[in-house]
């Protein structure tokens, strides 16, 4: 099994750590609604209402004991996956997401490359605890740490 250093993306399906990557693009957006206020005068103003986030990686590494098929099944079944993205011993972002797109390319005499795009379901939460401290209780749909503290309600 390869060791992932530095910034790391970890993908969990249920309680299983299925894939990792050291290269990803995490983005968060806010959808503004046009409005008018006394401060804006003649000019348009906006109110920030809905936020969304997504994460993409072109270099996903499947963990030993799992396959591309596990990710494909999660995609087809519209399962929520648990993502942890960040640096070891530093700020990590955690959240639930669905797989928006998934592809695998395998050119002749090269290693297979897996690309994936995730779309966040609910919030993206910062945490200073390492990714390995978190587990998922899917029956209650609550993310908790090993000490039993509730961190995210979905």
């Amino acid at each position: 099994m390869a060791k992932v250093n530095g910034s790391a993306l970890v993908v969990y399906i249920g309680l299983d750590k299925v894939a990792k990557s050291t290269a990803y693009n995490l983005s968060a957006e806010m959808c503004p609604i046009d409005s008018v206020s006394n401060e804006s005068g003649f000019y348009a103003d906006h109110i920030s209402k809905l936020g969304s986030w997504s994460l993409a990686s072109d270099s996903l590494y499947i963990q030993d004991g799992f396959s591309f098929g596990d990710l494909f099944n999660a995609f087809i079944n519209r399962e929520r996956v648990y993502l942890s993205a960040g640096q070891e011993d530093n700020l990590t972002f955690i959240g639930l997401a669905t797989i928006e797109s998934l592809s695998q390319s395998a050119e002749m005499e090269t290693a297979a490359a897996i690309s994936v795009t995730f779309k966040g379901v609910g919030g993206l939460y910062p945490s200073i605890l390492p990714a390995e401290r978190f587990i998922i209780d899917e029956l209650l749909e609550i993310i908790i740490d090993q000490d039993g503290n509730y961190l995210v309600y979905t």
Side-chain angles (χ1 to χ4, degrees):
M1 183 181 330
K3 180 174 173 31
V4 177
N5 295 319
S7 293
L9 165 64
V10 183
V11 180
Y12 296 85
I13 297 177
L15 298 175
D16 298 320
K17 188 184 299 186
V18 175
K20 286 185 175 182
S21 179
T22 56
Y24 61 86
N25 181 13
L26 174 63
S27 63
E29 297 93 27
M30 189 65 67
C31 295
I33 297 174
D34 289 338
S35 72
V36 178
S37 70
N38 290 337
E39 293 85 26
S40 66
F42 170 77
Y43 296 97
D45 199 353
H46 68 272
I47 301 169
S48 297
K49 279 289 191 182
L50 296 175
S52 64
W53 62 274
S54 62
L55 190 145
S57 177
D58 291 329
S59 59
L60 209 58
Y61 167 79
I62 302 295
Q63 295 286 94
D64 292 342
F66 297 97
S67 69
F68 179 79
D70 295 312
L71 287 173
F72 187 74
N73 286 338
F75 173 70
I76 292 298
N77 295 323
R78 296 172 181 87
E79 285 182 52
R80 292 179 177 187
V81 298
Y82 169 66
L83 301 178
S84 173
Q87 299 175 340
E88 291 181 13
D89 301 325
N90 205 340
L91 186 63
T92 299
F93 291 95
I94 59 172
L96 292 171
T98 54
I99 300 173
E100 192 172 62
S101 68
L102 180 65
S103 67
Q104 181 178 26
S105 62
E107 297 179 21
M108 184 185 287
E109 298 182 15
T110 63
I114 297 173
S115 299
V116 64
T117 302
F118 299 99
K119 185 71 175 172
V121 176
L124 180 65
Y125 301 93
S127 173
I128 57 171
L129 298 173
E132 285 72 26
R133 292 234 18 218
F134 296 98
I135 60 172
I136 302 173
D137 183 342
E138 289 189 321
L139 296 175
L140 299 175
E141 295 185 349
I142 297 171
I143 299 174
I144 60 174
D145 70 9
Q146 289 177 336
D147 299 326
N149 300 314
Y150 298 106
L151 302 173
V152 178
Y153 294 89
T154 59

